[in-house]
Amino acid sequence: MKKTLNAKRAYTEITQIVLFIGWFMVDFRLSEEQEMIRDMSREFCDKEVVPFAEEWDREGTYPLEAINKAHDLGLLNVTIPEKYGGQGMSALDEIIICEEVARGDPGFGTAAYHTMLASLPLLTGGTEEQKQEYFGRVVAGKLAAYCVTEPDAGSDVQSLKTEAIKDGDEYVINGSKAWISGAGYADWFFVLAYTDKTAGYGGLSGFIVDADSPGIKLGKKEVNMGQRCSDTRGVSFTDVRVPVANLIGGVENGGWMNAMKAFDHSRPAVAAAALGNARGAMEEAWAYAKERKTFGKPISQHQSISFMLADMATKIEAARLLTYSAASAIDNGERATLKSAHAKRFAADIGMEVTTDAVQVLGGYGYSEEYPVARRMRGSKIYQIFEGTSQIQRLIIGRELDSIF
């Protein structure tokens, strides 16, 4: 018995040592190629986004020209596999870009990403024919939009009312979607609709719908609190006929699970955008704090301000580590639901905190629209709402942890 206990104790100690060594062997350094991607993204935004972001937000201008330039530079939709004409980059590569793009401007970040969001259900569940056709369009520069949210159904996807009824070799779609980013410029939509309402969320199916299909009507562009350049609007479907071949995966009633898999991929990208916007606000607050003087010295040297700035930096760093962890899980083929929820929830929440504190550091100037921290604060709020609210992320985290413990 004593030998058995000693063996167990030795095994436990060895395991702890291995885990301890493994902890310090984790390498958070970017590769040379990833540093180049980061620097190229930053340089692009400094030249093509930052100088125009205020005007885009003020006028509600969709930044199509800048989106096309980013596409031509290879900064968009980067995880589309090479076999379909894409670049086949990793999830980590993508979030490096997303952080830099949103650091340029949060609204531009959302406008630049909505096509990849619509493409993810194809990536996780589409047929080869669907991927060849619609990834081909994206690679050629066409845009797409993700149509799930409805006027009375946001977080509660089971309450969707849009239906798709099979009629011969086609489905007939009827319903309305709301708050669809990029809808006015999309070449095609990903649409989630019921094919079997008696089955609850298990009766939802995903469809690819060409934007020029008869029966589609676009609503007015919404005037949002922030990210006003992202072209958010409603989309209605009245007897819209879609070929059976456009049923994603070719199987009915698999739309819910596929959409959830897609969210595991998209939420780290949203987290990266939230922390990128927060980083931009922090940089602006630091620059101001080093120039603004009170009581004979820069306010950055006052403890009350330096502590605020330090807390901003810590929160951003923590959010980045959570986001990198989620991206790494995806790249390693792991189920990333929990890590993606952690990253999205935390980054969205600290994004709101950091941008609010940045406004506070600037004082009255921060409250003025002449300074970008006001735009960043307004643009930060939506990260706590779309792609699953912070409350929904907590719900997911709780459920995932319950299955572990």
Side-chain angles (χ1 to χ4, degrees):
M1 175 66 75
K2 188 174 182 181
K3 288 183 178 180
T4 301
L5 289 174
N6 287 338
K8 287 183 177 178
R9 187 178 296 114
Y11 175 79
T12 300
E13 290 174 353
I14 291 170
T15 301
Q16 290 174 340
I17 291 170
V18 169
L19 290 173
F20 183 78
I21 293 172
W23 173 264
F24 284 96
M25 287 177 65
V26 174
D27 188 353
F28 293 107
R29 292 174 297 179
L30 301 183
S31 68
E32 184 177 344
E33 183 179 351
Q34 287 169 333
E35 288 182 347
M36 289 176 60
I37 291 170
R38 180 198 61 198
D39 294 345
M40 182 171 65
S41 302
R42 188 176 302 172
E43 290 169 9
F44 169 81
C45 288
D46 285 344
K47 179 181 178 182
E48 302 291 348
V49 176
V50 173
F52 310 104
E54 180 187 350
E55 178 185 350
W56 292 339
D57 186 78
R58 183 179 65 250
E59 303 296 332
T61 303
Y62 187 76
L64 183 59
E65 183 178 351
I67 288 173
N68 289 336
K69 288 180 179 179
H71 174 269
D72 293 342
L73 199 58
L75 298 179
L76 302 185
N77 315 310
V78 297
T79 57
I80 290 178
E82 291 180 353
K83 66 183 292 186
Y84 306 113
Q87 299 181 70
M89 289 189 186
S90 68
L92 182 56
D93 295 334
E94 180 178 57
I95 67 169
I96 290 169
I97 295 170
C98 287
E99 178 180 345
E100 294 303 326
V101 169
R103 177 251 180 195
D105 177 65
F108 178 77
T110 296
Y113 186 71
H114 62 70
T115 296
M116 192 65 227
L117 174 60
S119 300
L120 285 173
L122 274 73
L123 187 65
T124 56
T127 65
E128 283 299 307
E129 292 77 14
Q130 290 166 352
K131 292 174 181 178
Q132 290 286 351
E133 171 63 25
Y134 289 93
F135 284 163
R137 295 192 192 185
V138 170
V139 170
K142 298 293 185 181
L143 306 180
Y146 188 84
C147 293
V148 173
T149 303
E150 296 187 2
D152 298 318
S155 298
D156 182 12
V157 178
Q158 192 166 335
S159 296
L160 294 175
K161 293 182 173 62
T162 301
E163 286 189 274
I165 307 300
K166 193 172 183 181
D167 181 20
D169 293 332
E170 297 177 315
Y171 284 91
V172 181
I173 298 179
N174 283 281
S176 297
K177 301 295 182 178
W179 315 110
I180 308 304
S181 297
Y185 295 83
D187 175 68
W188 56 274
F189 301 112
F190 164 75
V191 179
L192 199 61
Y194 271 110
T195 44
D196 182 3
K197 278 207 164 184
T198 66
Y201 63 81
L204 287 163
S205 298
F207 295 89
I208 305 164
V209 182
D210 289 324
D212 60 359
S213 301
I216 293 178
K217 184 178 179 181
L218 300 179
K220 66 176 180 64
K221 182 185 182 303
E222 302 289 349
V223 180
N224 295 325
M225 179 172 72
Q227 300 200 15
R228 293 171 178 164
C229 70
S230 66
D231 190 72
T232 305
R233 63 181 74 218
V235 184
S236 64
F237 301 85
T238 304
D239 295 331
V240 177
R241 291 189 167 270
V242 178
V244 169
N246 282 26
L247 171 66
I248 291 183
V251 180
E252 284 190 354
N253 306 330
W256 165 259
M257 292 305 297
N258 190 35
M260 295 305 101
K261 289 178 183 177
F263 275 143
D264 287 352
H265 288 253
S266 65
R267 283 171 178 156
V270 174
L275 74 91
N277 180 49
R279 196 185 101 221
M282 181 189 70
E283 290 173 356
E284 289 151 9
W286 266 105
Y288 178 85
K290 290 194 289 186
E291 293 293 327
R292 173 76 162 131
K293 292 183 179 180
T294 62
F295 307 105
K297 61 182 178 181
I299 63 172
S300 63
Q301 295 180 17
H302 292 294
Q303 189 180 77
S304 58
I305 300 299
S306 68
F307 277 17
M308 288 179 69
L309 294 167
D311 285 346
M312 291 182 196
T314 299
K315 290 173 183 177
I316 291 167
E317 190 71 13
R320 184 179 295 111
L321 292 175
L322 281 172
T323 305
Y324 278 20
S325 177
S328 178
I330 294 168
D331 288 335
N332 287 314
E334 301 171 15
R335 183 172 179 270
T337 301
L338 177 58
K339 289 186 175 183
S340 292
H342 276 316
K344 201 273 185 182
R345 196 289 297 174
F346 187 76
D349 288 352
I350 69 98
M352 196 70 246
E353 294 170 12
V354 168
T355 55
T356 300
D357 285 347
V359 169
Q360 189 71 17
V361 169
L362 270 71
Y365 292 110
Y367 199 65
S368 169
E369 289 292 342
E370 292 185 18
Y371 287 78
V373 291
R375 169 167 43 83
R376 289 192 180 281
M377 180 181 173
R378 289 188 290 101
S380 185
K381 184 61 188 175
I382 191 61
Y383 294 123
Q384 294 180 305
I385 298 172
F386 64 12
E387 295 213 34
T389 64
S390 291
Q391 289 71 31
I392 289 295
Q393 300 312 311
R394 288 175 170 86
L395 180 64
I396 293 169
I397 291 166
R399 287 177 176 175
E400 290 292 310
L401 291 177
D402 188 56
S403 68
I404 295 172
F405 297 110

